[in-house]
Amino acid sequence: MKIMLATKNEGKIREIQRILSNTSINLISHNDTEIPEVEETGSSFVENAIIKARSASLVTGLPSLADDSGIEVSFLKAKPGVKSARYAGENATNEMNNIKLLNALKGIPMEKRSACYRCVIVFMRFPDDPFPVICSGSWHGFIAEKPLGSNGFGYDPIFYLPEYKKTSAELTDKEKNSISHRAQALKGIEKYLIRQHNN
């Protein structure tokens, strides 16, 4: 089954392709077929994922898969949340976002730095799909006091996991892709697609 992946984030593309690599799903990305940038005007991860999935399906005529994800910090009342990719400004880099978040938590003790990575994945069969499949995942940790590790992307270098005594960026791809918020959400989508394929 050919599915359009509605993102231009290379980190997400690599991660989603790896997680779904053992399935018969043929993921098409913007590297294969051009898709427009979409303004994420939703107030929730679900709304933004639907906006992206609908746009990609409309442009390509293919079923589409869209991810909207971000990090919520308890001390900051769930910010940056849906604004995670644009936390330090519209064209912010991962590093700029990380620095802004570390500055916002300067002097805050570790026990008050709890954070949660959220991911919503939406699958749409066609642009006007009245019943899109929506799956979500959450991954709990803490915001480290400084960046560590070079793997992953986004807030991974400052997302600390006490049970591993590592940040997400210090995990191997295999470790991350077995426990992350994105892996959890994709498991639900994978089960749905396998069920559809077998029916």
Side-chain angles (χ1 to χ4, degrees):
M1 180 193 260
K2 265 189 185 178
I3 297 175
M4 185 70 209
L5 189 48
T7 183
K8 292 192 174 184
N9 181 317
E10 293 298 336
K12 282 185 185 181
I13 291 169
R14 278 194 305 274
E15 208 164 272
I16 291 169
Q17 284 175 333
R18 278 194 197 111
I19 293 168
L20 295 178
S21 61
N22 294 327
T23 70
S24 59
I25 298 160
N26 179 11
L27 282 180
I28 311 293
S29 77
H30 78 103
N31 297 314
D32 310 300
T33 303
E34 189 52 40
I35 52 170
E37 286 287 354
V38 181
E39 207 177 330
E40 296 177 27
T41 53
S43 60
S44 68
F45 294 120
V46 173
E47 286 174 24
N48 282 335
I50 288 173
I51 289 167
K52 290 188 273 193
R54 182 169 286 133
S55 170
S57 184
L58 196 60
V59 168
T60 63
L62 292 168
S64 67
L65 197 66
D67 157 300
D68 200 52
S69 46
I71 199 162
E72 296 176 351
V73 180
S74 303
F75 186 80
L76 302 176
K77 295 183 171 57
K79 285 180 180 162
V82 290
K83 302 276 190 216
S84 290
R86 305 176 295 283
Y87 186 45
E90 273 310 310
N91 299 305
T93 62
N94 290 333
E95 192 181 7
M96 287 158 70
N97 287 328
N98 286 340
I99 289 168
K100 181 171 179 180
L101 188 51
L102 289 175
N103 286 339
L105 295 174
K106 208 167 232 169
I108 303 303
M110 200 59 172
E111 65 270 17
K112 290 187 178 175
R113 300 169 76 98
S114 64
C116 183
Y117 254 143
R118 304 274 190 203
C119 177
V120 169
I121 305 260
V122 166
F123 173 73
M124 294 185 99
R125 296 164 295 172
F126 39 82
D128 297 324
D129 192 342
F131 196 65
V133 180
I134 301 168
C135 295
S136 62
S138 300
W139 194 20
H140 296 273
F142 291 81
I143 301 300
E145 290 176 346
K146 63 179 184 185
L148 290 165
S150 56
N151 212 356
F153 61 99
Y155 293 87
D156 287 351
I158 59 172
F159 187 65
Y160 181 75
L161 304 154
E163 64 273 35
Y164 288 86
K165 295 186 169 59
K166 290 176 179 178
T167 67
S168 176
E170 293 178 291
L171 298 178
T172 64
D173 290 337
K174 192 176 178 185
E175 285 172 325
K176 184 186 177 186
N177 292 340
S178 65
I179 56 175
S180 76
H181 53 316
R182 190 163 289 111
Q184 292 170 39
L186 281 167
K187 274 193 188 97
I189 295 289
E190 192 182 332
K191 277 181 192 159
Y192 168 80
L193 291 173
I194 289 167
R195 212 164 47 237
Q196 293 303 107
H197 184 70
N198 294 336
N199 284 344

